[in-house]
Amino acid sequence: DNVEAHYANFCRVMSTPEELVLDLGLNPQPYATGPQTVNVSQRIILNHYTAKRLLSALSMALQRHEQAFGVLETDVRKRVRQS
């Protein structure tokens, strides 16, 4: 009942021997080139076992999405059409 929804189009992953840290934020100019400052608004800290289960769950969800809607191209240069 008390879940807050946040949108993120930026993720930074860091790791220590004990945990994996995901920093999530909003990049207001995702197609800009050069260095940018992104405000990180959420941090998720997981142990490596939970991170591996999350990886598996995300992989399965993305596979189902791609089966229904087609392959997701992660290289933005291949997605943008020049006019």
Side-chain angles (χ1 to χ4, degrees):
D1 290 341
N2 296 321
V3 174
E4 289 186 36
H6 298 271
Y7 177 79
N9 64 356
F10 169 84
C11 181
R12 176 177 52 210
V13 179
M14 297 173 288
S15 182
T16 70
E18 291 83 24
E19 59 199 17
L20 190 114
V21 180
L22 303 175
D23 285 339
L24 304 169
L26 179 64
N27 180 356
Q29 298 179 350
Y31 301 112
T33 58
Q36 295 183 64
T37 300
V38 175
N39 291 327
V40 171
S41 53
Q42 294 94 34
R43 175 170 281 174
I44 300 172
I45 304 169
L46 308 161
N47 64 47
H48 287 90
Y49 296 100
T50 302
K52 190 167 184 175
R53 288 190 294 273
L54 175 61
L55 173 64
S56 177
L58 289 172
S59 179
M60 286 188 295
L62 287 168
Q63 285 176 9
R64 285 191 303 267
H65 179 86
E66 289 186 328
Q67 287 172 350
F69 302 104
V71 176
L72 294 167
E73 177 56 63
T74 56
D75 185 345
V76 75
R77 293 169 295 185
K78 292 179 182 177
R79 291 192 323 242
V80 175
R81 293 192 175 103
Q82 301 295 328
S83 346

PDB file of all heavy atoms in Angstrom, residues 7-12 23-42 76:
ATOM      1  N   TYR A   7      10.882   7.006 -11.474  1.00  0.00           N
ATOM      2  CA  TYR A   7      11.355   6.689 -12.816  1.00  0.00           C
ATOM      3  C   TYR A   7      12.864   6.896 -12.854  1.00  0.00           C
ATOM      4  O   TYR A   7      13.381   7.872 -12.310  1.00  0.00           O
ATOM      5  CB  TYR A   7      10.688   7.586 -13.858  1.00  0.00           C
ATOM      6  CG  TYR A   7      11.209   7.349 -15.253  1.00  0.00           C
ATOM      7  CD1 TYR A   7      10.773   6.263 -16.002  1.00  0.00           C
ATOM      8  CD2 TYR A   7      12.170   8.183 -15.804  1.00  0.00           C
ATOM      9  CE1 TYR A   7      11.273   6.023 -17.271  1.00  0.00           C
ATOM     10  CE2 TYR A   7      12.673   7.953 -17.077  1.00  0.00           C
ATOM     11  CZ  TYR A   7      12.213   6.878 -17.802  1.00  0.00           C
ATOM     12  OH  TYR A   7      12.714   6.634 -19.053  1.00  0.00           O
ATOM     13  N   ALA A   8      13.575   5.984 -13.492  1.00  0.00           N
ATOM     14  CA  ALA A   8      15.023   6.114 -13.650  1.00  0.00           C
ATOM     15  C   ALA A   8      15.399   5.734 -15.079  1.00  0.00           C
ATOM     16  O   ALA A   8      14.912   4.742 -15.603  1.00  0.00           O
ATOM     17  CB  ALA A   8      15.764   5.225 -12.659  1.00  0.00           C
ATOM     18  N   ASN A   9      16.256   6.548 -15.686  1.00  0.00           N
ATOM     19  CA  ASN A   9      16.821   6.200 -16.988  1.00  0.00           C
ATOM     20  C   ASN A   9      18.343   6.163 -16.906  1.00  0.00           C
ATOM     21  O   ASN A   9      19.031   6.186 -17.905  1.00  0.00           O
ATOM     22  CB  ASN A   9      16.343   7.156 -18.090  1.00  0.00           C
ATOM     23  CG  ASN A   9      16.807   8.573 -17.888  1.00  0.00           C
ATOM     24  OD1 ASN A   9      17.447   8.899 -16.884  1.00  0.00           O
ATOM     25  ND2 ASN A   9      16.485   9.439 -18.816  1.00  0.00           N
ATOM     26  N   PHE A  10      18.856   6.126 -15.676  1.00  0.00           N
ATOM     27  CA  PHE A  10      20.298   6.066 -15.422  1.00  0.00           C
ATOM     28  C   PHE A  10      20.525   5.060 -14.301  1.00  0.00           C
ATOM     29  O   PHE A  10      19.782   5.031 -13.316  1.00  0.00           O
ATOM     30  CB  PHE A  10      20.823   7.440 -14.989  1.00  0.00           C
ATOM     31  CG  PHE A  10      22.228   7.400 -14.456  1.00  0.00           C
ATOM     32  CD1 PHE A  10      23.308   7.447 -15.318  1.00  0.00           C
ATOM     33  CD2 PHE A  10      22.465   7.308 -13.095  1.00  0.00           C
ATOM     34  CE1 PHE A  10      24.613   7.393 -14.827  1.00  0.00           C
ATOM     35  CE2 PHE A  10      23.761   7.254 -12.604  1.00  0.00           C
ATOM     36  CZ  PHE A  10      24.831   7.304 -13.468  1.00  0.00           C
ATOM     37  N   CYS A  11      21.539   4.239 -14.462  1.00  0.00           N
ATOM     38  CA  CYS A  11      21.906   3.283 -13.420  1.00  0.00           C
ATOM     39  C   CYS A  11      23.425   3.159 -13.364  1.00  0.00           C
ATOM     40  O   CYS A  11      24.078   3.017 -14.391  1.00  0.00           O
ATOM     41  CB  CYS A  11      21.281   1.922 -13.711  1.00  0.00           C
ATOM     42  SG  CYS A  11      21.668   0.689 -12.465  1.00  0.00           S
ATOM     43  N   ARG A  12      23.957   3.237 -12.169  1.00  0.00           N
ATOM     44  CA  ARG A  12      25.391   3.014 -11.955  1.00  0.00           C
ATOM     45  C   ARG A  12      25.510   1.830 -10.998  1.00  0.00           C
ATOM     46  O   ARG A  12      24.810   1.770  -9.991  1.00  0.00           O
ATOM     47  CB  ARG A  12      26.027   4.264 -11.344  1.00  0.00           C
ATOM     48  CG  ARG A  12      27.493   4.099 -10.999  1.00  0.00           C
ATOM     49  CD  ARG A  12      28.108   5.378 -10.475  1.00  0.00           C
ATOM     50  NE  ARG A  12      27.330   5.927  -9.381  1.00  0.00           N
ATOM     51  CZ  ARG A  12      27.243   7.236  -9.105  1.00  0.00           C
ATOM     52  NH1 ARG A  12      27.869   8.117  -9.843  1.00  0.00           N
ATOM     53  NH2 ARG A  12      26.528   7.666  -8.098  1.00  0.00           N
ATOM     54  N   ASP A  23      22.893   2.627  -8.039  1.00  0.00           N
ATOM     55  CA  ASP A  23      22.457   4.018  -7.923  1.00  0.00           C
ATOM     56  C   ASP A  23      21.563   4.315  -9.116  1.00  0.00           C
ATOM     57  O   ASP A  23      21.948   4.071 -10.268  1.00  0.00           O
ATOM     58  CB  ASP A  23      23.653   4.978  -7.935  1.00  0.00           C
ATOM     59  CG  ASP A  23      24.413   4.981  -6.632  1.00  0.00           C
ATOM     60  OD1 ASP A  23      23.832   4.574  -5.602  1.00  0.00           O
ATOM     61  OD2 ASP A  23      25.573   5.393  -6.628  1.00  0.00           O
ATOM     62  N   LEU A  24      20.370   4.824  -8.863  1.00  0.00           N
ATOM     63  CA  LEU A  24      19.398   5.107  -9.911  1.00  0.00           C
ATOM     64  C   LEU A  24      19.089   6.591  -9.923  1.00  0.00           C
ATOM     65  O   LEU A  24      19.030   7.233  -8.872  1.00  0.00           O
ATOM     66  CB  LEU A  24      18.114   4.316  -9.675  1.00  0.00           C
ATOM     67  CG  LEU A  24      18.286   2.807  -9.563  1.00  0.00           C
ATOM     68  CD1 LEU A  24      16.999   2.165  -9.078  1.00  0.00           C
ATOM     69  CD2 LEU A  24      18.715   2.223 -10.886  1.00  0.00           C
ATOM     70  N   GLY A  25      18.870   7.135 -11.112  1.00  0.00           N
ATOM     71  CA  GLY A  25      18.555   8.548 -11.215  1.00  0.00           C
ATOM     72  C   GLY A  25      17.945   8.895 -12.550  1.00  0.00           C
ATOM     73  O   GLY A  25      17.728   8.037 -13.408  1.00  0.00           O
ATOM     74  N   LEU A  26      17.689  10.160 -12.713  1.00  0.00           N
ATOM     75  CA  LEU A  26      17.079  10.676 -13.932  1.00  0.00           C
ATOM     76  C   LEU A  26      18.098  11.519 -14.681  1.00  0.00           C
ATOM     77  O   LEU A  26      18.617  12.498 -14.155  1.00  0.00           O
ATOM     78  CB  LEU A  26      15.844  11.520 -13.601  1.00  0.00           C
ATOM     79  CG  LEU A  26      15.128  12.127 -14.802  1.00  0.00           C
ATOM     80  CD1 LEU A  26      14.565  11.039 -15.700  1.00  0.00           C
ATOM     81  CD2 LEU A  26      14.010  13.039 -14.332  1.00  0.00           C
ATOM     82  N   ASN A  27      18.396  11.108 -15.909  1.00  0.00           N
ATOM     83  CA  ASN A  27      19.265  11.875 -16.793  1.00  0.00           C
ATOM     84  C   ASN A  27      18.353  12.715 -17.681  1.00  0.00           C
ATOM     85  O   ASN A  27      17.690  12.175 -18.566  1.00  0.00           O
ATOM     86  CB  ASN A  27      20.128  10.933 -17.630  1.00  0.00           C
ATOM     87  CG  ASN A  27      21.056  11.671 -18.559  1.00  0.00           C
ATOM     88  OD1 ASN A  27      21.028  12.888 -18.657  1.00  0.00           O
ATOM     89  ND2 ASN A  27      21.892  10.930 -19.253  1.00  0.00           N
ATOM     90  N   PRO A  28      18.290  14.037 -17.464  1.00  0.00           N
ATOM     91  CA  PRO A  28      17.354  14.867 -18.225  1.00  0.00           C
ATOM     92  C   PRO A  28      17.706  14.987 -19.703  1.00  0.00           C
ATOM     93  O   PRO A  28      16.867  15.346 -20.514  1.00  0.00           O
ATOM     94  CB  PRO A  28      17.406  16.218 -17.521  1.00  0.00           C
ATOM     95  CG  PRO A  28      18.731  16.244 -16.838  1.00  0.00           C
ATOM     96  CD  PRO A  28      19.055  14.817 -16.507  1.00  0.00           C
ATOM     97  N   GLN A  29      18.951  14.686 -20.075  1.00  0.00           N
ATOM     98  CA  GLN A  29      19.378  14.767 -21.474  1.00  0.00           C
ATOM     99  C   GLN A  29      20.080  13.463 -21.856  1.00  0.00           C
ATOM    100  O   GLN A  29      21.291  13.431 -22.053  1.00  0.00           O
ATOM    101  CB  GLN A  29      20.309  15.961 -21.683  1.00  0.00           C
ATOM    102  CG  GLN A  29      19.633  17.283 -21.373  1.00  0.00           C
ATOM    103  CD  GLN A  29      20.585  18.452 -21.558  1.00  0.00           C
ATOM    104  OE1 GLN A  29      21.779  18.264 -21.742  1.00  0.00           O
ATOM    105  NE2 GLN A  29      20.050  19.641 -21.511  1.00  0.00           N
ATOM    106  N   PRO A  30      19.322  12.369 -22.007  1.00  0.00           N
ATOM    107  CA  PRO A  30      19.966  11.072 -22.239  1.00  0.00           C
ATOM    108  C   PRO A  30      20.678  10.958 -23.574  1.00  0.00           C
ATOM    109  O   PRO A  30      21.501  10.069 -23.746  1.00  0.00           O
ATOM    110  CB  PRO A  30      18.800  10.083 -22.148  1.00  0.00           C
ATOM    111  CG  PRO A  30      17.591  10.892 -22.434  1.00  0.00           C
ATOM    112  CD  PRO A  30      17.884  12.278 -21.939  1.00  0.00           C
ATOM    113  N   TYR A  31      20.398  11.830 -24.530  1.00  0.00           N
ATOM    114  CA  TYR A  31      21.036  11.738 -25.845  1.00  0.00           C
ATOM    115  C   TYR A  31      22.169  12.740 -26.019  1.00  0.00           C
ATOM    116  O   TYR A  31      22.772  12.810 -27.083  1.00  0.00           O
ATOM    117  CB  TYR A  31      19.997  11.921 -26.954  1.00  0.00           C
ATOM    118  CG  TYR A  31      18.899  10.895 -26.872  1.00  0.00           C
ATOM    119  CD1 TYR A  31      17.609  11.261 -26.544  1.00  0.00           C
ATOM    120  CD2 TYR A  31      19.169   9.552 -27.088  1.00  0.00           C
ATOM    121  CE1 TYR A  31      16.601  10.313 -26.438  1.00  0.00           C
ATOM    122  CE2 TYR A  31      18.178   8.599 -26.991  1.00  0.00           C
ATOM    123  CZ  TYR A  31      16.893   8.987 -26.666  1.00  0.00           C
ATOM    124  OH  TYR A  31      15.914   8.048 -26.567  1.00  0.00           O
ATOM    125  N   ALA A  32      22.466  13.508 -24.988  1.00  0.00           N
ATOM    126  CA  ALA A  32      23.550  14.483 -25.071  1.00  0.00           C
ATOM    127  C   ALA A  32      24.897  13.754 -25.099  1.00  0.00           C
ATOM    128  O   ALA A  32      25.039  12.651 -24.579  1.00  0.00           O
ATOM    129  CB  ALA A  32      23.492  15.445 -23.886  1.00  0.00           C
ATOM    130  N   THR A  33      25.878  14.378 -25.713  1.00  0.00           N
ATOM    131  CA  THR A  33      27.221  13.798 -25.755  1.00  0.00           C
ATOM    132  C   THR A  33      28.105  14.526 -24.751  1.00  0.00           C
ATOM    133  O   THR A  33      27.824  15.646 -24.344  1.00  0.00           O
ATOM    134  CB  THR A  33      27.827  13.925 -27.167  1.00  0.00           C
ATOM    135  OG1 THR A  33      27.861  15.305 -27.541  1.00  0.00           O
ATOM    136  CG2 THR A  33      27.001  13.154 -28.178  1.00  0.00           C
ATOM    137  N   GLY A  34      29.167  13.882 -24.356  1.00  0.00           N
ATOM    138  CA  GLY A  34      30.103  14.472 -23.405  1.00  0.00           C
ATOM    139  C   GLY A  34      29.695  14.202 -21.971  1.00  0.00           C
ATOM    140  O   GLY A  34      28.650  13.631 -21.697  1.00  0.00           O
ATOM    141  N   PRO A  35      30.522  14.641 -21.040  1.00  0.00           N
ATOM    142  CA  PRO A  35      30.251  14.409 -19.620  1.00  0.00           C
ATOM    143  C   PRO A  35      28.976  15.118 -19.176  1.00  0.00           C
ATOM    144  O   PRO A  35      28.692  16.236 -19.602  1.00  0.00           O
ATOM    145  CB  PRO A  35      31.468  14.994 -18.901  1.00  0.00           C
ATOM    146  CG  PRO A  35      32.498  15.212 -19.949  1.00  0.00           C
ATOM    147  CD  PRO A  35      31.795  15.319 -21.257  1.00  0.00           C
ATOM    148  N   GLN A  36      28.216  14.458 -18.323  1.00  0.00           N
ATOM    149  CA  GLN A  36      26.997  15.030 -17.785  1.00  0.00           C
ATOM    150  C   GLN A  36      26.902  14.727 -16.301  1.00  0.00           C
ATOM    151  O   GLN A  36      27.429  13.724 -15.834  1.00  0.00           O
ATOM    152  CB  GLN A  36      25.774  14.419 -18.460  1.00  0.00           C
ATOM    153  CG  GLN A  36      25.662  14.727 -19.924  1.00  0.00           C
ATOM    154  CD  GLN A  36      24.378  14.122 -20.453  1.00  0.00           C
ATOM    155  OE1 GLN A  36      23.312  14.527 -20.033  1.00  0.00           O
ATOM    156  NE2 GLN A  36      24.501  13.150 -21.322  1.00  0.00           N
ATOM    157  N   THR A  37      26.192  15.579 -15.595  1.00  0.00           N
ATOM    158  CA  THR A  37      25.912  15.339 -14.192  1.00  0.00           C
ATOM    159  C   THR A  37      24.501  14.784 -14.081  1.00  0.00           C
ATOM    160  O   THR A  37      23.562  15.361 -14.622  1.00  0.00           O
ATOM    161  CB  THR A  37      26.009  16.648 -13.378  1.00  0.00           C
ATOM    162  OG1 THR A  37      27.333  17.160 -13.517  1.00  0.00           O
ATOM    163  CG2 THR A  37      25.691  16.407 -11.923  1.00  0.00           C
ATOM    164  N   VAL A  38      24.375  13.644 -13.419  1.00  0.00           N
ATOM    165  CA  VAL A  38      23.071  13.022 -13.206  1.00  0.00           C
ATOM    166  C   VAL A  38      22.833  12.968 -11.700  1.00  0.00           C
ATOM    167  O   VAL A  38      23.686  12.478 -10.950  1.00  0.00           O
ATOM    168  CB  VAL A  38      23.024  11.604 -13.802  1.00  0.00           C
ATOM    169  CG1 VAL A  38      21.715  10.924 -13.468  1.00  0.00           C
ATOM    170  CG2 VAL A  38      23.253  11.651 -15.304  1.00  0.00           C
ATOM    171  N   ASN A  39      21.683  13.477 -11.270  1.00  0.00           N
ATOM    172  CA  ASN A  39      21.340  13.421  -9.854  1.00  0.00           C
ATOM    173  C   ASN A  39      20.814  12.031  -9.511  1.00  0.00           C
ATOM    174  O   ASN A  39      19.800  11.602 -10.050  1.00  0.00           O
ATOM    175  CB  ASN A  39      20.292  14.477  -9.506  1.00  0.00           C
ATOM    176  CG  ASN A  39      20.858  15.873  -9.586  1.00  0.00           C
ATOM    177  OD1 ASN A  39      22.030  16.086  -9.303  1.00  0.00           O
ATOM    178  ND2 ASN A  39      20.044  16.814  -9.989  1.00  0.00           N
ATOM    179  N   VAL A  40      21.520  11.346  -8.623  1.00  0.00           N
ATOM    180  CA  VAL A  40      21.091  10.031  -8.162  1.00  0.00           C
ATOM    181  C   VAL A  40      20.046  10.248  -7.080  1.00  0.00           C
ATOM    182  O   VAL A  40      20.271  10.974  -6.121  1.00  0.00           O
ATOM    183  CB  VAL A  40      22.293   9.230  -7.621  1.00  0.00           C
ATOM    184  CG1 VAL A  40      21.838   7.961  -6.938  1.00  0.00           C
ATOM    185  CG2 VAL A  40      23.263   8.925  -8.747  1.00  0.00           C
ATOM    186  N   SER A  41      18.872   9.624  -7.263  1.00  0.00           N
ATOM    187  CA  SER A  41      17.791   9.841  -6.310  1.00  0.00           C
ATOM    188  C   SER A  41      17.450   8.591  -5.494  1.00  0.00           C
ATOM    189  O   SER A  41      16.757   8.688  -4.492  1.00  0.00           O
ATOM    190  CB  SER A  41      16.539  10.335  -7.039  1.00  0.00           C
ATOM    191  OG  SER A  41      16.196   9.475  -8.101  1.00  0.00           O
ATOM    192  N   GLN A  42      17.913   7.427  -5.939  1.00  0.00           N
ATOM    193  CA  GLN A  42      17.660   6.200  -5.195  1.00  0.00           C
ATOM    194  C   GLN A  42      18.929   5.344  -5.191  1.00  0.00           C
ATOM    195  O   GLN A  42      19.664   5.326  -6.165  1.00  0.00           O
ATOM    196  CB  GLN A  42      16.533   5.364  -5.827  1.00  0.00           C
ATOM    197  CG  GLN A  42      15.166   5.991  -5.790  1.00  0.00           C
ATOM    198  CD  GLN A  42      14.875   6.758  -7.052  1.00  0.00           C
ATOM    199  OE1 GLN A  42      15.309   6.382  -8.123  1.00  0.00           O
ATOM    200  NE2 GLN A  42      14.148   7.844  -6.934  1.00  0.00           N
ATOM    201  N   VAL A  76      21.958   3.444 -28.652  1.00  0.00           N
ATOM    202  CA  VAL A  76      21.085   4.521 -29.112  1.00  0.00           C
ATOM    203  C   VAL A  76      21.444   4.979 -30.523  1.00  0.00           C
ATOM    204  O   VAL A  76      20.569   5.400 -31.283  1.00  0.00           O
ATOM    205  CB  VAL A  76      21.089   5.704 -28.116  1.00  0.00           C
ATOM    206  CG1 VAL A  76      22.367   6.514 -28.220  1.00  0.00           C
ATOM    207  CG2 VAL A  76      19.890   6.587 -28.324  1.00  0.00           C
TER     208      VAL A  76
END
